[in-house]
Amino acid sequence: MSEGHRTFHINAFLMGVGHHEAAWRHPRTEAHRVLDVKHFQELGRIAERGRLDSVFFADGLAVGPRIERNTLAVFEPVTLLAAIAAATEHVGLIATASTSYNEPFNLARKFASLDHISGGRAGWNIVTSGNAEEAYNFGYDAIPEHARRYERAQEFVDLAVKLWDSWESDAIVLDTETGRFADPAKVHTLDHSGERFTVRGPLNSPRSPQGRPLLVQAGSSESGKEFAAQYAEAVFTAQRTLEEGQRFYQDLKSRLPKYGRSADDLKVLPGLVPFIADTEEEARALEQSFTDLISPDYALRQLSSMLGIDLTEHALDAPLPPLPAESEIEGGKSRFTLVKELAENEELTVRQLIGKLGGGRGHRTFAGTPEQIADELQSWFDNGAADGFNIMPPYLPGGLDDFVDRVVPILQQRGLFRTEYTADTLRGHYGLAPVESQFAPVQIQATA
């Protein structure tokens, strides 16, 4: 690929034995593998075989009311990614962690450790958590207010960055002759005292290979987009049409200059759930075979959570009832709007809506041949809606195998995706340089 040639970034968003909510029931999966760490290590190796930028695990901090039918997460993701790091060499490792229910010091230490263990492949998907079931596990009677969650997140991320920066890159001396382990002048106390956190520092983990993890964010509300423009280096987003994707892309990129950032500093990666087969008809039949296994009671609880209204007794073949105003939603505001507009614009019944949401909870699903999948990705990429994609296989490992072995080669032949890794770190995969500590002395170039 010629220098300056624009290419995709591809992340594999992995969940259990597949993103489709009925994946664990389908004959193409083995339900027991959701509890097997070797399954997830295999997925990491498949993603690496495809030269993907990274793998990503979402996370929740509650079982919730749906345990009879499904659970979205079994393993704590940073721990799981440490196991995947041991089975891979190149692919990036991104984990979700909440700023609402963690402390900056502990979380910064976890990600620094993952970055060391993996040789510089860690990424943090920053979430503020909008689920009431999570709030109940941390002493709250309700979800903390949306605006206050983002205010906490801002101080949290600023402090985490300072903790990662508290060790300069050359602070470790390891001089066995003099017995000098580290240079104290290059390990910095923070004495942070803010509205929500008081932390002395420094972090008890030396500076990691990347300096700090890749920072990822997935909120698409106004607060979420502003937060992403200030901090994020990659954004995972749910957009269902090219036009929606273009609007989101332009909106987000237009916010960067106020923070002294350029368009290349942040990569926008819409989600796609691909059903892949030899013909479009076979791909649609494959998708339907999953839809047919949806448990309506489970899906209605999922939908109730997204929309902030109890739909568990609502008629499946009726349209949605009147919904709350967006201003009344304290949880996932952007997902609420997406689902509401999908139901209204396509005049869907509740049964039709849960069928459309079963694969990716609002992310775009696409059933087609490998060439059609590649065409769809290229269309979004070429028409200002994406810098790459968050691929969400509906079933695993087969859905990831099919994407890596059948779609990636087409993208490579078109010059849209790497054929080999050219960097050793996750930041390198995304075209970003290692970050120097903010406490390091400024190097002044000598003039001739």
Side-chain angles (χ1 to χ4, degrees):
M1 298 177 188
S2 60
E3 189 166 342
H5 178 69
R6 185 167 171 258
T7 55
F8 284 7
H9 297 283
I10 300 179
N11 173 75
F13 180 2
L14 306 175
M15 184 176 288
V17 290
H19 264 275
H20 198 282
E21 64 186 56
W24 69 278
R25 300 181 63 196
H26 199 278
R28 292 202 179 200
T29 67
E30 298 176 84
H32 70 274
R33 301 197 75 189
V34 73
L35 300 168
D36 184 1
V37 69
K38 293 179 182 177
H39 163 68
F40 296 99
Q41 291 175 320
E42 177 187 352
L43 298 179
R45 287 191 291 265
I46 295 170
E48 190 161 273
R49 187 175 78 230
R51 309 297 189 263
L52 304 193
D53 294 70
S54 45
V55 297
F56 159 58
F57 289 89
D59 193 33
L61 298 170
V63 167
R66 303 178 294 275
I67 193 62
E68 182 182 2
R69 300 298 189 187
N70 201 351
T71 183
L72 297 181
V74 172
F75 297 111
E76 189 283 313
V78 176
T79 308
L80 178 59
L81 286 170
I84 295 173
T88 57
E89 295 181 358
H90 301 286
V91 71
L93 309 164
I94 302 173
T96 291
S98 172
T99 57
S100 296
Y101 308 123
N102 279 295
E103 290 294 320
F105 191 95
N106 288 347
L107 188 140
R109 189 185 186 205
K110 281 185 181 180
F111 278 100
S113 296
L114 179 61
D115 208 48
H116 280 293
I117 289 167
S118 64
R121 295 186 278 145
W124 173 25
N125 178 46
I126 305 161
V127 299
T128 62
S129 297
N131 185 306
E133 297 287 334
E134 295 175 297
Y136 303 153
N137 285 337
F138 292 88
Y140 295 89
D141 295 327
I143 307 166
E145 183 198 8
H146 188 267
R148 292 192 64 79
R149 295 204 313 273
Y150 273 97
E151 290 168 3
R152 176 184 168 97
Q154 186 165 17
E155 185 179 347
F156 193 116
V157 176
D158 284 338
L159 181 49
V161 169
K162 287 181 181 177
L163 285 163
W164 289 317
D165 284 353
S166 62
W167 290 69
E168 294 180 39
S169 57
D170 58 349
I172 297 291
V173 178
L174 293 180
D175 188 332
T176 56
E177 205 166 298
T178 64
R180 199 163 188 246
F181 179 82
D183 182 349
K186 296 184 178 184
V187 183
H188 301 274
T189 299
L190 306 181
D191 292 319
H192 174 92
S193 181
E195 184 178 344
R196 295 163 184 82
F197 305 108
T198 300
V199 177
R200 182 176 184 272
L203 191 65
N204 60 340
S205 177
R207 192 161 188 80
S208 67
Q210 295 185 106
R212 61 173 178 258
L214 184 81
L215 299 181
V216 183
Q217 197 264 355
S220 297
S221 66
E222 282 302 304
S223 298
K225 287 185 285 190
E226 203 63 27
F227 186 87
Q230 185 173 358
Y231 294 104
E233 292 156 319
V235 166
F236 298 153
T237 181
Q239 311 294 331
R240 294 189 64 86
T241 69
L242 176 62
E243 293 73 22
E244 290 173 2
Q246 289 169 325
R247 286 195 296 272
F248 179 84
Y249 187 94
Q250 293 302 322
D251 181 5
L252 191 53
K253 298 276 185 171
S254 72
R255 299 172 189 248
L256 296 171
K258 76 172 74 173
Y259 299 106
R261 306 180 69 197
S262 71
D264 289 339
D265 292 334
L266 184 152
K267 311 300 182 186
V268 177
L269 309 178
L272 183 75
V273 182
F275 289 88
I276 306 166
D278 291 337
T279 68
E280 183 177 346
E281 182 180 28
E282 290 172 337
R284 292 188 182 280
L286 176 63
E287 181 179 13
Q288 187 62 45
S289 72
F290 281 84
T291 301
D292 291 343
L293 292 174
I294 289 175
S295 300
D297 59 335
Y298 171 81
L300 285 172
R301 290 190 185 97
Q302 286 272 82
L303 189 59
S304 298
S305 177
M306 290 180 191
L307 296 178
I309 184 172
D310 186 0
L311 296 167
T312 54
E313 301 299 324
H314 192 74
L316 285 170
D317 294 311
L320 286 173
L323 298 177
E326 184 179 332
S327 60
E328 299 175 45
I329 299 297
E330 289 296 345
K333 286 181 178 287
S334 58
R335 195 56 54 92
F336 168 86
T337 302
L338 184 152
V339 174
K340 177 176 181 289
E341 291 179 351
L342 171 63
E344 292 175 349
N345 293 344
E346 299 189 19
E347 299 181 345
L348 301 174
T349 66
V350 171
R351 188 188 303 274
Q352 292 168 328
L353 181 58
I354 62 177
K356 283 184 174 285
L357 296 174
R361 296 159 303 285
H363 288 272
R364 178 164 169 68
T365 59
F366 190 92
T369 66
E371 291 78 10
Q372 288 174 320
I373 301 290
D375 289 345
E376 181 74 3
L377 298 179
Q378 184 169 0
S379 174
W380 281 55
F381 184 69
D382 287 344
N383 289 287
D387 297 307
F389 299 91
N390 200 22
I391 299 300
M392 305 164 59
Y395 60 98
L396 292 166
L400 183 60
D401 266 322
D402 283 348
F403 184 83
V404 161
D405 294 337
R406 305 188 68 186
V407 179
V408 167
I410 297 172
L411 301 176
Q412 291 171 331
Q413 290 163 12
R414 296 180 184 181
L416 293 169
F417 193 64
R418 69 173 68 86
T419 56
E420 296 294 342
Y421 286 109
T422 58
D424 296 323
T425 67
L426 176 56
R427 300 184 66 82
H429 297 339
Y430 280 86
L432 301 169
V435 184
E436 186 51 84
S437 167
Q438 61 190 280
F439 301 107
V442 177
Q443 300 295 319
I444 301 175
Q445 296 284 338
T447 57

